[in-house]
Amino acid sequence: MWIDTHCHLDAPEFDADRDAVVARSRAAGVARWVLPAVAAAHFEAVRALAHAHGGAYALGIHPLYVDRADDADLDRLREALQRWRDDPRLVAVGEIGLDHFVPEAVAGRERQALFYAAQLKLARAAGLPVILHVRRSADALLAQLRRIPVVGGIAHAFNGSPAQAAHFLALGLRLGFGGAMTFERALRIRELAATLPETALVLETDAPDIPPHWLYRSAAERAAGAVSRNEPAELPRIAETLAGLRGWSLTQAAAQTTANAHAALPRLAALESLASPEQPS
Ligand SMILES: [Zn+2]
């Protein structure tokens, strides 16, 4: 069994065929997904999808959505974490973090930092791990994490230096790898995937984003109407890259990354012992 530890099934890109996407994922052996929210308006959607399809979800406000969020959204997050605290499918606070890459977001760095720190505190209070968005922001994320420690989690789509990777691991986080690793020119990511301790790695698609190389379309191709949408059914093929880099069999890759995901998100492990999918509540 494979776990997609980061998948935006609630994204509008899936509105037309979401059930088929889920069916293809299951057929490919990817039967668990962690659905991180990106904004307060999505909290209900990720929760409902997780319950409908036997997945898990995280609640949080994404750094690239902070400009559109108002301060009351932090209260909404606090209330939602309180309301669903006994929901076994609520496994983390996320997607939270800092994006220092997207130029339009630069102006909002201060506000991003404010939301990030506030959400770390909420995660800490709830005793939940975090799912972190890291883009050119690893050192700033680490500084706050040291100030406001949490019980662990995942630094998703990790693309930092070996030293930054080691710092995240020392703070109890695992690192998420996905489609970016399938590009041969992604030397740094591939080097990390090949050499980090085996307990450090979790797999993710970030669908509909970060398509693997076989789904990638250039900006020009997309402008001409080509679609470049990632989906969770791609995870086993993405995992082949990881297995190849590490000299693992696919079975080994599935077992190790599943164990790592369970360690990163303990409630996900507890879900495996639940009986057949519960009724949505
Ligand atoms: Zn994401």
Short mmCIF file of all heavy atoms in Angstrom, two decimals, residues 2-11 14 25 30 32-38 46 56-63 65 91-97 130-134 153-158 174-179 202-211 230-235 238 261 265 268:
data_model
loop_
_atom_site.label_atom_id
_atom_site.label_comp_id
_atom_site.label_asym_id
_atom_site.label_seq_id
_atom_site.Cartn_x
_atom_site.Cartn_y
_atom_site.Cartn_z
N TRP A 2 0.44 2.25 -0.75
CA TRP A 2 1.13 3.54 -0.80
C TRP A 2 0.30 4.60 -0.10
O TRP A 2 -0.93 4.55 -0.13
CB TRP A 2 1.35 3.97 -2.25
CG TRP A 2 2.15 3.02 -3.07
CD1 TRP A 2 1.67 2.06 -3.92
CD2 TRP A 2 3.58 2.92 -3.13
NE1 TRP A 2 2.71 1.40 -4.51
CE2 TRP A 2 3.89 1.90 -4.04
CE3 TRP A 2 4.62 3.61 -2.50
CZ2 TRP A 2 5.20 1.53 -4.36
CZ3 TRP A 2 5.93 3.25 -2.80
CH2 TRP A 2 6.20 2.22 -3.72
N ILE A 3 0.99 5.57 0.48
CA ILE A 3 0.31 6.73 1.08
C ILE A 3 0.78 7.98 0.37
O ILE A 3 1.98 8.24 0.28
CB ILE A 3 0.64 6.86 2.59
CG1 ILE A 3 0.19 5.62 3.35
CG2 ILE A 3 0.00 8.12 3.16
CD1 ILE A 3 0.58 5.63 4.83
N ASP A 4 -0.17 8.75 -0.15
CA ASP A 4 0.16 10.06 -0.70
C ASP A 4 0.01 11.05 0.45
O ASP A 4 -1.10 11.37 0.87
CB ASP A 4 -0.80 10.40 -1.85
CG ASP A 4 -0.42 11.70 -2.54
OD1 ASP A 4 0.41 12.45 -1.99
OD2 ASP A 4 -0.96 11.94 -3.64
N THR A 5 1.15 11.50 0.99
CA THR A 5 1.10 12.32 2.21
C THR A 5 0.75 13.79 1.94
O THR A 5 0.70 14.59 2.86
CB THR A 5 2.45 12.30 2.98
OG1 THR A 5 3.48 12.81 2.13
CG2 THR A 5 2.79 10.90 3.43
N HIS A 6 0.51 14.11 0.65
CA HIS A 6 0.19 15.51 0.35
C HIS A 6 -0.53 15.60 -0.98
O HIS A 6 0.08 15.44 -2.04
CB HIS A 6 1.48 16.34 0.31
CG HIS A 6 1.24 17.82 0.44
ND1 HIS A 6 1.62 18.54 1.53
CD2 HIS A 6 0.65 18.70 -0.39
CE1 HIS A 6 1.28 19.81 1.37
NE2 HIS A 6 0.69 19.94 0.20
N CYS A 7 -1.82 15.84 -0.92
CA CYS A 7 -2.61 15.80 -2.14
C CYS A 7 -3.80 16.74 -1.96
O CYS A 7 -4.51 16.66 -0.97
CB CYS A 7 -3.06 14.34 -2.32
SG CYS A 7 -4.32 14.11 -3.52
N HIS A 8 -3.99 17.65 -2.94
CA HIS A 8 -5.08 18.63 -2.83
C HIS A 8 -6.28 18.15 -3.65
O HIS A 8 -6.62 18.73 -4.67
CB HIS A 8 -4.60 20.01 -3.29
CG HIS A 8 -3.50 20.56 -2.43
ND1 HIS A 8 -3.74 21.11 -1.19
CD2 HIS A 8 -2.16 20.62 -2.60
CE1 HIS A 8 -2.59 21.50 -0.64
NE2 HIS A 8 -1.61 21.20 -1.48
N LEU A 9 -6.90 17.08 -3.17
CA LEU A 9 -8.06 16.52 -3.87
C LEU A 9 -9.24 17.49 -3.94
O LEU A 9 -10.13 17.31 -4.76
CB LEU A 9 -8.54 15.26 -3.13
CG LEU A 9 -8.15 13.89 -3.65
CD1 LEU A 9 -8.94 12.82 -2.90
CD2 LEU A 9 -8.40 13.77 -5.16
N ASP A 10 -9.23 18.49 -3.06
CA ASP A 10 -10.32 19.46 -3.06
C ASP A 10 -10.12 20.55 -4.12
O ASP A 10 -11.01 21.38 -4.31
CB ASP A 10 -10.44 20.13 -1.68
CG ASP A 10 -9.15 20.85 -1.28
OD1 ASP A 10 -8.07 20.26 -1.46
OD2 ASP A 10 -9.22 21.99 -0.79
N ALA A 11 -8.98 20.55 -4.80
CA ALA A 11 -8.69 21.62 -5.77
C ALA A 11 -9.70 21.59 -6.92
O ALA A 11 -10.18 20.53 -7.32
CB ALA A 11 -7.26 21.44 -6.32
N PHE A 14 -9.95 19.14 -9.91
CA PHE A 14 -10.54 17.80 -9.83
C PHE A 14 -12.08 17.84 -9.82
O PHE A 14 -12.71 16.79 -9.66
CB PHE A 14 -10.02 17.08 -8.58
CG PHE A 14 -8.55 16.80 -8.61
CD1 PHE A 14 -7.70 17.33 -7.64
CD2 PHE A 14 -7.98 16.03 -9.62
CE1 PHE A 14 -6.34 17.08 -7.66
CE2 PHE A 14 -6.62 15.77 -9.65
CZ PHE A 14 -5.79 16.31 -8.68
N SER A 25 -6.60 6.10 -8.28
CA SER A 25 -5.62 6.05 -7.21
C SER A 25 -5.70 4.71 -6.47
O SER A 25 -4.69 4.04 -6.26
CB SER A 25 -5.89 7.22 -6.25
OG SER A 25 -4.99 7.20 -5.18
N VAL A 30 -2.80 3.23 -4.19
CA VAL A 30 -2.66 4.41 -3.33
C VAL A 30 -4.01 4.64 -2.67
O VAL A 30 -4.91 5.26 -3.23
CB VAL A 30 -2.25 5.66 -4.15
CG1 VAL A 30 -1.93 6.83 -3.22
CG2 VAL A 30 -1.06 5.35 -5.04
N ARG A 32 -4.52 5.72 0.61
CA ARG A 32 -4.57 6.74 1.67
C ARG A 32 -3.98 8.03 1.14
O ARG A 32 -2.95 8.02 0.46
CB ARG A 32 -3.74 6.33 2.87
CG ARG A 32 -4.37 5.28 3.71
CD ARG A 32 -5.12 5.89 4.89
NE ARG A 32 -5.49 4.83 5.81
CZ ARG A 32 -6.73 4.40 5.99
NH1 ARG A 32 -7.73 4.97 5.38
NH2 ARG A 32 -6.96 3.41 6.82
N TRP A 33 -4.62 9.12 1.50
CA TRP A 33 -4.14 10.45 1.11
C TRP A 33 -4.27 11.35 2.31
O TRP A 33 -5.20 11.23 3.09
CB TRP A 33 -5.01 11.05 -0.01
CG TRP A 33 -5.44 10.07 -1.03
CD1 TRP A 33 -4.81 9.79 -2.21
CD2 TRP A 33 -6.59 9.20 -0.98
NE1 TRP A 33 -5.48 8.81 -2.89
CE2 TRP A 33 -6.58 8.45 -2.16
CE3 TRP A 33 -7.61 9.01 -0.07
CZ2 TRP A 33 -7.56 7.49 -2.44
CZ3 TRP A 33 -8.58 8.07 -0.33
CH2 TRP A 33 -8.55 7.32 -1.52
N VAL A 34 -3.34 12.26 2.42
CA VAL A 34 -3.50 13.33 3.41
C VAL A 34 -3.86 14.59 2.62
O VAL A 34 -3.12 14.99 1.70
CB VAL A 34 -2.22 13.55 4.22
CG1 VAL A 34 -2.42 14.67 5.23
CG2 VAL A 34 -1.82 12.25 4.93
N LEU A 35 -5.00 15.16 2.95
CA LEU A 35 -5.52 16.31 2.22
C LEU A 35 -5.34 17.56 3.08
O LEU A 35 -6.12 17.79 4.01
CB LEU A 35 -7.01 16.10 1.91
CG LEU A 35 -7.40 14.72 1.36
CD1 LEU A 35 -8.91 14.64 1.15
CD2 LEU A 35 -6.66 14.41 0.07
N PRO A 36 -4.31 18.35 2.80
CA PRO A 36 -4.10 19.57 3.59
C PRO A 36 -4.99 20.70 3.05
O PRO A 36 -5.08 20.89 1.85
CB PRO A 36 -2.62 19.91 3.37
CG PRO A 36 -2.11 18.97 2.34
CD PRO A 36 -3.26 18.21 1.77
N ALA A 37 -5.61 21.43 3.96
CA ALA A 37 -6.40 22.60 3.54
C ALA A 37 -5.44 23.75 3.25
O ALA A 37 -4.34 23.80 3.78
CB ALA A 37 -7.37 23.00 4.64
N VAL A 38 -5.90 24.68 2.40
CA VAL A 38 -5.08 25.86 2.11
C VAL A 38 -5.72 27.14 2.63
O VAL A 38 -5.06 28.18 2.71
CB VAL A 38 -4.78 26.01 0.60
CG1 VAL A 38 -3.92 24.85 0.11
CG2 VAL A 38 -6.06 26.12 -0.21
N VAL A 46 -12.10 19.51 2.79
CA VAL A 46 -11.08 18.45 2.96
C VAL A 46 -11.57 17.42 3.98
O VAL A 46 -11.32 16.22 3.82
CB VAL A 46 -9.69 19.01 3.36
CG1 VAL A 46 -9.07 19.81 2.23
CG2 VAL A 46 -9.73 19.82 4.65
N ALA A 56 -7.31 11.11 5.05
CA ALA A 56 -7.04 11.92 6.24
C ALA A 56 -6.91 13.36 5.78
O ALA A 56 -6.75 13.63 4.59
CB ALA A 56 -5.74 11.46 6.90
N TYR A 57 -7.01 14.29 6.74
CA TYR A 57 -6.93 15.70 6.36
C TYR A 57 -6.15 16.49 7.39
O TYR A 57 -5.92 16.02 8.51
CB TYR A 57 -8.33 16.29 6.15
CG TYR A 57 -9.20 16.36 7.40
CD1 TYR A 57 -9.41 17.58 8.06
CD2 TYR A 57 -9.81 15.22 7.91
CE1 TYR A 57 -10.21 17.66 9.18
CE2 TYR A 57 -10.61 15.29 9.04
CZ TYR A 57 -10.81 16.51 9.67
OH TYR A 57 -11.60 16.58 10.80
N ALA A 58 -5.74 17.67 6.95
CA ALA A 58 -5.05 18.61 7.84
C ALA A 58 -5.74 19.96 7.67
O ALA A 58 -6.27 20.26 6.60
CB ALA A 58 -3.58 18.72 7.47
N LEU A 59 -5.73 20.75 8.72
CA LEU A 59 -6.37 22.06 8.67
C LEU A 59 -5.32 23.15 8.86
O LEU A 59 -4.51 23.08 9.81
CB LEU A 59 -7.44 22.18 9.78
CG LEU A 59 -8.60 21.20 9.68
CD1 LEU A 59 -9.54 21.35 10.88
CD2 LEU A 59 -9.38 21.39 8.38
N GLY A 60 -5.34 24.12 7.96
CA GLY A 60 -4.37 25.20 8.08
C GLY A 60 -4.57 26.22 6.99
O GLY A 60 -5.41 26.04 6.09
N ILE A 61 -3.78 27.29 7.06
CA ILE A 61 -3.84 28.37 6.07
C ILE A 61 -2.47 28.47 5.39
O ILE A 61 -1.45 28.70 6.03
CB ILE A 61 -4.24 29.70 6.74
CG1 ILE A 61 -5.61 29.55 7.42
CG2 ILE A 61 -4.26 30.84 5.71
CD1 ILE A 61 -5.91 30.60 8.47
N HIS A 62 -2.48 28.22 4.09
CA HIS A 62 -1.29 28.15 3.26
C HIS A 62 -0.67 29.55 3.11
O HIS A 62 -1.40 30.53 2.99
CB HIS A 62 -1.74 27.61 1.89
CG HIS A 62 -0.66 27.27 0.94
ND1 HIS A 62 0.15 28.21 0.36
CD2 HIS A 62 -0.26 26.08 0.44
CE1 HIS A 62 1.00 27.61 -0.47
NE2 HIS A 62 0.77 26.32 -0.43
N PRO A 63 0.66 29.64 3.11
CA PRO A 63 1.28 30.98 3.03
C PRO A 63 0.85 31.78 1.81
O PRO A 63 0.77 33.01 1.89
CB PRO A 63 2.78 30.68 3.00
CG PRO A 63 2.92 29.22 2.71
CD PRO A 63 1.68 28.58 3.24
N TYR A 65 -2.02 31.86 0.61
CA TYR A 65 -3.42 32.26 0.79
C TYR A 65 -3.58 33.26 1.93
O TYR A 65 -4.68 33.68 2.24
CB TYR A 65 -4.30 31.03 1.05
CG TYR A 65 -4.52 30.19 -0.19
CD1 TYR A 65 -3.51 29.38 -0.70
CD2 TYR A 65 -5.74 30.23 -0.87
CE1 TYR A 65 -3.70 28.63 -1.85
CE2 TYR A 65 -5.94 29.48 -2.02
CZ TYR A 65 -4.91 28.68 -2.50
OH TYR A 65 -5.11 27.94 -3.63
N VAL A 91 -5.26 14.69 11.02
CA VAL A 91 -3.94 14.17 11.40
C VAL A 91 -2.87 15.23 11.59
O VAL A 91 -1.78 14.93 12.06
CB VAL A 91 -3.45 13.11 10.39
CG1 VAL A 91 -4.40 11.92 10.36
CG2 VAL A 91 -3.27 13.70 9.00
N ALA A 92 -3.14 16.48 11.20
CA ALA A 92 -2.08 17.51 11.28
C ALA A 92 -2.67 18.90 11.14
O ALA A 92 -3.82 19.08 10.76
CB ALA A 92 -1.03 17.29 10.19
N VAL A 93 -1.81 19.88 11.42
CA VAL A 93 -2.10 21.27 11.08
C VAL A 93 -1.30 21.57 9.81
O VAL A 93 -0.08 21.39 9.76
CB VAL A 93 -1.70 22.22 12.23
CG1 VAL A 93 -1.76 23.68 11.77
CG2 VAL A 93 -2.63 22.01 13.43
N GLY A 94 -1.99 21.99 8.76
CA GLY A 94 -1.30 22.26 7.51
C GLY A 94 -2.32 22.56 6.41
O GLY A 94 -3.51 22.32 6.60
N GLU A 95 -1.93 23.15 5.41
CA GLU A 95 -0.57 23.40 5.00
C GLU A 95 -0.17 24.80 5.44
O GLU A 95 -0.81 25.78 5.04
CB GLU A 95 -0.49 23.25 3.48
CG GLU A 95 0.85 23.60 2.89
CD GLU A 95 0.92 23.23 1.41
OE1 GLU A 95 -0.01 22.62 0.85
OE2 GLU A 95 1.95 23.55 0.80
N ILE A 96 0.86 24.88 6.26
CA ILE A 96 1.30 26.16 6.78
C ILE A 96 2.77 26.35 6.40
O ILE A 96 3.44 25.41 5.98
CB ILE A 96 1.12 26.25 8.30
CG1 ILE A 96 2.08 25.28 9.03
CG2 ILE A 96 -0.32 25.94 8.70
CD1 ILE A 96 2.09 25.45 10.54
N GLY A 97 3.27 27.56 6.54
CA GLY A 97 4.69 27.76 6.25
C GLY A 97 4.98 29.13 5.69
O GLY A 97 4.26 30.09 5.97
N VAL A 130 2.77 19.07 12.07
CA VAL A 130 2.51 20.11 11.07
C VAL A 130 2.92 19.62 9.68
O VAL A 130 3.80 18.76 9.54
CB VAL A 130 3.28 21.41 11.38
CG1 VAL A 130 2.72 22.08 12.63
CG2 VAL A 130 4.78 21.16 11.53
N ILE A 131 2.26 20.17 8.66
CA ILE A 131 2.67 19.94 7.28
C ILE A 131 3.13 21.30 6.74
O ILE A 131 2.34 22.25 6.68
CB ILE A 131 1.52 19.36 6.44
CG1 ILE A 131 1.17 17.97 6.98
CG2 ILE A 131 1.91 19.29 4.97
CD1 ILE A 131 -0.04 17.33 6.33
N LEU A 132 4.42 21.37 6.43
CA LEU A 132 5.05 22.66 6.13
C LEU A 132 5.29 22.86 4.64
O LEU A 132 5.78 21.97 3.95
CB LEU A 132 6.40 22.76 6.84
CG LEU A 132 6.40 22.77 8.37
CD1 LEU A 132 7.83 22.93 8.86
CD2 LEU A 132 5.51 23.90 8.90
N HIS A 133 4.96 24.06 4.18
CA HIS A 133 5.29 24.51 2.84
C HIS A 133 6.62 25.26 2.93
O HIS A 133 6.72 26.27 3.62
CB HIS A 133 4.17 25.44 2.35
CG HIS A 133 4.43 26.07 1.02
ND1 HIS A 133 3.92 25.55 -0.16
CD2 HIS A 133 5.12 27.18 0.67
CE1 HIS A 133 4.29 26.33 -1.18
NE2 HIS A 133 5.03 27.32 -0.70
N VAL A 134 7.62 24.74 2.24
CA VAL A 134 8.98 25.29 2.30
C VAL A 134 9.40 25.70 0.90
O VAL A 134 9.61 24.84 0.04
CB VAL A 134 10.00 24.21 2.76
CG1 VAL A 134 11.31 24.85 3.15
CG2 VAL A 134 9.46 23.34 3.87
N GLY A 153 6.14 16.15 12.10
CA GLY A 153 5.37 16.40 10.89
C GLY A 153 6.21 16.22 9.65
O GLY A 153 7.17 15.43 9.63
N ILE A 154 5.86 16.99 8.61
CA ILE A 154 6.49 16.81 7.30
C ILE A 154 6.83 18.17 6.70
O ILE A 154 5.99 19.07 6.66
CB ILE A 154 5.53 16.06 6.35
CG1 ILE A 154 5.27 14.64 6.85
CG2 ILE A 154 6.09 16.05 4.92
CD1 ILE A 154 4.13 13.92 6.13
N ALA A 155 8.08 18.33 6.24
CA ALA A 155 8.44 19.47 5.40
C ALA A 155 8.22 19.01 3.97
O ALA A 155 8.96 18.19 3.44
CB ALA A 155 9.89 19.87 5.64
N HIS A 156 7.15 19.53 3.37
CA HIS A 156 6.69 18.97 2.10
C HIS A 156 7.43 19.57 0.92
O HIS A 156 7.92 20.69 1.00
CB HIS A 156 5.16 19.13 2.06
CG HIS A 156 4.61 19.88 0.91
ND1 HIS A 156 4.40 19.29 -0.31
CD2 HIS A 156 4.21 21.15 0.77
CE1 HIS A 156 3.88 20.19 -1.13
NE2 HIS A 156 3.76 21.32 -0.50
N ALA A 157 7.55 18.79 -0.17
CA ALA A 157 8.27 19.21 -1.38
C ALA A 157 9.63 19.78 -1.02
O ALA A 157 10.00 20.87 -1.47
CB ALA A 157 7.44 20.23 -2.18
N PHE A 158 10.37 19.03 -0.25
CA PHE A 158 11.62 19.57 0.28
C PHE A 158 12.65 19.76 -0.84
O PHE A 158 12.85 18.89 -1.68
CB PHE A 158 12.19 18.65 1.36
CG PHE A 158 13.36 19.30 2.05
CD1 PHE A 158 13.15 20.31 2.98
CD2 PHE A 158 14.66 18.95 1.73
CE1 PHE A 158 14.22 20.96 3.58
CE2 PHE A 158 15.74 19.59 2.34
CZ PHE A 158 15.51 20.59 3.26
N ARG A 174 9.89 14.84 9.03
CA ARG A 174 10.32 14.04 7.86
C ARG A 174 10.23 14.96 6.65
O ARG A 174 9.62 16.02 6.71
CB ARG A 174 9.39 12.84 7.65
CG ARG A 174 8.95 12.17 8.93
CD ARG A 174 9.88 11.07 9.34
NE ARG A 174 9.72 10.82 10.78
CZ ARG A 174 10.11 9.73 11.38
NH1 ARG A 174 10.69 8.76 10.70
NH2 ARG A 174 9.95 9.58 12.69
N LEU A 175 10.80 14.49 5.53
CA LEU A 175 10.85 15.32 4.33
C LEU A 175 10.06 14.67 3.20
O LEU A 175 10.21 13.46 2.95
CB LEU A 175 12.31 15.54 3.93
CG LEU A 175 13.21 16.07 5.07
CD1 LEU A 175 14.66 16.13 4.63
CD2 LEU A 175 12.75 17.45 5.53
N GLY A 176 9.24 15.48 2.53
CA GLY A 176 8.38 14.97 1.47
C GLY A 176 9.03 15.06 0.11
O GLY A 176 9.57 16.10 -0.27
N PHE A 177 8.97 13.95 -0.64
CA PHE A 177 9.53 13.88 -1.99
C PHE A 177 8.45 13.43 -2.97
O PHE A 177 7.65 12.55 -2.66
CB PHE A 177 10.71 12.91 -2.04
CG PHE A 177 11.93 13.46 -1.34
CD1 PHE A 177 12.06 13.36 0.04
CD2 PHE A 177 12.92 14.12 -2.05
CE1 PHE A 177 13.16 13.88 0.70
CE2 PHE A 177 14.04 14.65 -1.41
CZ PHE A 177 14.15 14.53 -0.03
N GLY A 178 8.46 14.04 -4.16
CA GLY A 178 7.43 13.71 -5.15
C GLY A 178 7.93 13.90 -6.56
O GLY A 178 9.08 13.56 -6.89
N GLY A 179 7.07 14.47 -7.40
CA GLY A 179 7.34 14.56 -8.83
C GLY A 179 8.65 15.24 -9.19
O GLY A 179 9.27 14.89 -10.20
N VAL A 202 9.23 10.68 3.13
CA VAL A 202 7.86 10.31 2.83
C VAL A 202 7.56 10.70 1.39
O VAL A 202 8.20 11.58 0.82
CB VAL A 202 6.82 10.93 3.79
CG1 VAL A 202 7.05 10.47 5.22
CG2 VAL A 202 6.83 12.45 3.72
N LEU A 203 6.57 10.02 0.81
CA LEU A 203 6.21 10.27 -0.59
C LEU A 203 4.94 11.10 -0.66
O LEU A 203 4.06 11.00 0.19
CB LEU A 203 5.97 8.93 -1.31
CG LEU A 203 7.24 8.17 -1.69
CD1 LEU A 203 6.88 6.74 -2.09
CD2 LEU A 203 8.00 8.87 -2.81
N GLU A 204 4.86 11.89 -1.72
CA GLU A 204 3.70 12.76 -1.90
C GLU A 204 3.59 13.11 -3.38
O GLU A 204 4.57 13.02 -4.12
CB GLU A 204 3.91 14.06 -1.11
CG GLU A 204 5.18 14.81 -1.57
CD GLU A 204 5.38 16.15 -0.89
OE1 GLU A 204 5.18 16.23 0.33
OE2 GLU A 204 5.72 17.10 -1.61
N THR A 205 2.38 13.49 -3.80
CA THR A 205 2.26 14.00 -5.17
C THR A 205 2.10 15.51 -5.22
O THR A 205 2.44 16.13 -6.21
CB THR A 205 1.05 13.39 -5.92
OG1 THR A 205 -0.15 13.74 -5.22
CG2 THR A 205 1.19 11.89 -6.06
N ASP A 206 1.48 16.10 -4.19
CA ASP A 206 1.07 17.51 -4.24
C ASP A 206 0.09 17.74 -5.40
O ASP A 206 -0.04 18.86 -5.90
CB ASP A 206 2.27 18.46 -4.36
CG ASP A 206 1.94 19.90 -3.93
OD1 ASP A 206 0.99 20.07 -3.14
OD2 ASP A 206 2.60 20.83 -4.40
N ALA A 207 -0.60 16.69 -5.83
CA ALA A 207 -1.56 16.82 -6.92
C ALA A 207 -2.59 17.91 -6.56
O ALA A 207 -2.97 18.00 -5.40
CB ALA A 207 -2.28 15.48 -7.13
N PRO A 208 -2.99 18.73 -7.53
CA PRO A 208 -2.72 18.65 -8.98
C PRO A 208 -1.38 19.24 -9.42
O PRO A 208 -1.11 19.30 -10.61
CB PRO A 208 -3.87 19.47 -9.56
CG PRO A 208 -4.13 20.53 -8.52
CD PRO A 208 -3.89 19.84 -7.19
N ASP A 209 -0.55 19.68 -8.45
CA ASP A 209 0.69 20.36 -8.80
C ASP A 209 1.88 19.40 -8.89
O ASP A 209 1.73 18.20 -8.67
CB ASP A 209 1.00 21.46 -7.77
CG ASP A 209 -0.09 22.53 -7.76
OD1 ASP A 209 -0.63 22.83 -8.84
OD2 ASP A 209 -0.43 23.02 -6.67
N ILE A 210 3.06 19.95 -9.13
CA ILE A 210 4.34 19.24 -9.23
C ILE A 210 4.23 17.94 -10.05
O ILE A 210 4.52 16.84 -9.56
CB ILE A 210 4.96 18.95 -7.84
CG1 ILE A 210 4.82 20.18 -6.91
CG2 ILE A 210 6.44 18.58 -7.99
CD1 ILE A 210 5.64 20.11 -5.62
N PRO A 211 3.82 18.05 -11.32
CA PRO A 211 3.74 16.84 -12.15
C PRO A 211 5.12 16.19 -12.33
O PRO A 211 6.12 16.91 -12.43
CB PRO A 211 3.21 17.35 -13.50
CG PRO A 211 3.45 18.82 -13.50
CD PRO A 211 3.45 19.26 -12.07
N ASN A 230 -1.22 16.67 -12.16
CA ASN A 230 -0.74 15.50 -11.42
C ASN A 230 -1.91 14.88 -10.67
O ASN A 230 -2.90 15.55 -10.36
CB ASN A 230 0.34 15.98 -10.44
CG ASN A 230 1.18 14.84 -9.89
OD1 ASN A 230 1.02 13.69 -10.29
ND2 ASN A 230 2.07 15.17 -8.99
N GLU A 231 -1.82 13.59 -10.35
CA GLU A 231 -2.87 12.96 -9.54
C GLU A 231 -2.28 11.82 -8.72
O GLU A 231 -1.19 11.30 -9.02
CB GLU A 231 -4.04 12.50 -10.41
CG GLU A 231 -3.70 11.46 -11.45
CD GLU A 231 -4.98 10.98 -12.17
OE1 GLU A 231 -5.49 11.74 -13.00
OE2 GLU A 231 -5.44 9.86 -11.87
N PRO A 232 -2.97 11.43 -7.63
CA PRO A 232 -2.37 10.47 -6.70
C PRO A 232 -2.04 9.10 -7.31
O PRO A 232 -1.13 8.42 -6.82
CB PRO A 232 -3.40 10.35 -5.57
CG PRO A 232 -4.64 11.04 -6.04
CD PRO A 232 -4.24 11.98 -7.11
N ALA A 233 -2.72 8.72 -8.39
CA ALA A 233 -2.40 7.43 -9.03
C ALA A 233 -0.97 7.39 -9.56
O ALA A 233 -0.44 6.32 -9.86
CB ALA A 233 -3.38 7.17 -10.18
N GLU A 234 -0.33 8.56 -9.69
CA GLU A 234 1.05 8.60 -10.19
C GLU A 234 2.07 8.21 -9.13
O GLU A 234 3.25 8.02 -9.44
CB GLU A 234 1.39 10.01 -10.71
CG GLU A 234 0.51 10.52 -11.83
CD GLU A 234 0.67 9.71 -13.11
OE1 GLU A 234 1.73 9.07 -13.29
OE2 GLU A 234 -0.28 9.70 -13.92
N LEU A 235 1.64 8.11 -7.87
CA LEU A 235 2.60 7.93 -6.78
C LEU A 235 3.50 6.69 -6.93
O LEU A 235 4.71 6.80 -6.75
CB LEU A 235 1.89 7.91 -5.42
CG LEU A 235 2.85 8.11 -4.26
CD1 LEU A 235 3.18 9.59 -4.06
CD2 LEU A 235 2.30 7.54 -2.97
N ILE A 238 6.21 7.46 -9.37
CA ILE A 238 7.16 8.40 -8.76
C ILE A 238 8.07 7.65 -7.78
O ILE A 238 9.27 7.88 -7.71
CB ILE A 238 6.38 9.54 -8.05
CG1 ILE A 238 5.68 10.43 -9.08
CG2 ILE A 238 7.31 10.36 -7.15
CD1 ILE A 238 4.69 11.43 -8.50
N ALA A 261 5.60 7.62 7.03
CA ALA A 261 4.41 8.48 7.07
C ALA A 261 3.66 8.26 8.39
O ALA A 261 3.17 9.20 9.01
CB ALA A 261 3.51 8.19 5.88
N LEU A 265 2.98 11.15 11.12
CA LEU A 265 1.59 11.52 11.41
C LEU A 265 0.95 10.35 12.16
O LEU A 265 0.27 9.51 11.56
CB LEU A 265 0.83 11.80 10.10
CG LEU A 265 1.47 12.82 9.14
CD1 LEU A 265 0.75 12.85 7.80
CD2 LEU A 265 1.49 14.22 9.77
N LEU A 268 -2.41 8.83 11.47
CA LEU A 268 -2.55 8.10 10.22
C LEU A 268 -2.33 6.60 10.49
O LEU A 268 -3.02 5.75 9.94
CB LEU A 268 -1.50 8.62 9.24
CG LEU A 268 -1.67 8.43 7.75
CD1 LEU A 268 -2.99 8.96 7.26
CD2 LEU A 268 -0.52 9.13 7.02
#
